[in-house]
């Protein structure tokens, strides 16, 4: 099955702290990861496939367009950053794994990167909560949300993220 991105790469830079000069090849794979892992988790397989197919066919309209623009894109934008930030400083190439540095900059600590990830995750969770509230209230508009079966992913209807505290 052909795959469509539910958000444009330019929207990641427009709606996050990501610099517009960052090469798309540095973060595009993390868009796919966030879409497949995080977004499909909330949509379920059938609704995910419906939106994917409509985007590919150029027929995403009406309630599905609203759902995508108002609820799915904001989630995906910030879940992309959650996936990308741990890898942002690294390049994997034929010569090995490299961590970038510049003469005019200072590398940030793991704690600082974790802080940025937590901030993006907090934003993503906010949009995920908005999505689940909306879709549960308006599920009649999106019949695919409740038609998953067998090996399909069933939509996660709760936004529960927790950390272990010892």
């Amino acid at each position: 099955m052909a795959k469509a991105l539910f958000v444009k790469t330019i929207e990641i830079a427009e709606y996050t702290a990501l610099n517009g000069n960052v090469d798309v090849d540095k973060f595009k794979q993390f868009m796919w990861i966030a879409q497949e892992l995080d977004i499909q988790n909330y949509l379920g397989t059938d609704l995910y496939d419906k939106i994917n197919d409509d985007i590919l066919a150029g027929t995403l309209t009406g309630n599905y367009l609203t759902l995508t623009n108002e609820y799915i894109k904001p989630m995906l934008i910030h879940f992309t950053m959650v996936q990308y930030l741990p890898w942002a400083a690294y390049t994997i190439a034929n010569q090995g794994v490299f961590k970038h540095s510049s003469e005019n900059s200072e590398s940030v600590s793991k704690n600082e990167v974790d802080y940025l990830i937590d901030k993006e995750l907090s934003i993503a969770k906010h949009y995920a909560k908005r999505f689940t509230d909306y879709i549960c209230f308006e599920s009649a508009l999106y019949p695919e949300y409740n038609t998953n079966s067998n090996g399909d992913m069933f939509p996660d209807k709760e936004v529960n993220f927790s950390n272990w505290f010892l």
Side-chain angles (χ1 to χ4, degrees):
M1 170 161 97
K3 301 281 183 175
L5 278 173
F6 293 5
V7 67
K8 293 180 174 77
T9 54
I10 189 70
E11 292 172 304
I12 304 296
E14 286 177 353
Y15 298 109
T16 67
L18 185 71
N19 185 309
N21 292 329
V22 174
D23 186 2
V24 171
D25 291 339
K26 297 281 186 193
F27 66 89
K28 191 171 186 178
Q29 66 271 30
F30 298 102
M31 294 171 67
W32 286 108
I33 291 168
Q35 186 170 305
E36 289 285 316
L37 298 182
D38 300 307
I39 301 306
Q40 187 171 202
N41 179 57
Y42 288 104
L43 272 61
T45 299
D46 291 347
L47 182 56
Y48 181 90
D49 288 347
K50 161 76 169 136
I51 292 171
N52 180 75
D53 294 346
D54 285 358
I55 290 171
L56 289 174
T59 59
L60 186 67
T61 60
N63 293 329
Y64 294 95
L65 180 62
T66 300
L67 182 69
T68 302
N69 288 338
E70 300 296 321
Y71 297 95
I72 296 171
K73 280 186 177 189
M75 272 195 309
L76 180 54
I77 287 167
H78 294 285
F79 277 124
T80 295
M81 289 299 290
V82 170
Q83 297 292 341
Y84 170 66
L85 283 169
W87 297 93
Y90 302 98
T91 296
I92 301 171
N94 288 338
Q95 297 83 13
V97 179
F98 302 96
K99 184 172 183 178
H100 300 282
S101 65
S102 174
E103 294 174 11
N104 305 347
S105 66
E106 177 183 336
S107 292
V108 297
S109 70
K110 181 184 178 317
N111 288 340
E112 291 171 307
V113 173
D114 288 346
Y115 175 78
L116 294 174
I117 292 167
D118 286 344
K119 288 297 179 187
E120 285 294 339
L121 184 57
S122 175
I123 296 167
K125 286 174 16 179
H126 166 77
Y127 286 116
K129 176 78 169 110
R130 283 185 61 228
F131 169 81
T132 55
D133 289 349
Y134 173 77
I135 196 79
C136 288
F137 185 73
E138 297 288 355
S139 63
L141 298 174
Y142 311 98
E144 300 83 1
Y145 186 67
N146 294 308
T147 61
N148 299 287
S149 61
N150 298 328
D152 291 345
M153 283 183 70
F154 287 79
D156 191 348
K157 298 180 181 186
E158 294 183 23
V159 180
N160 288 328
F161 294 93
S162 63
N163 292 324
W164 288 78
F165 294 99
L166 300 175

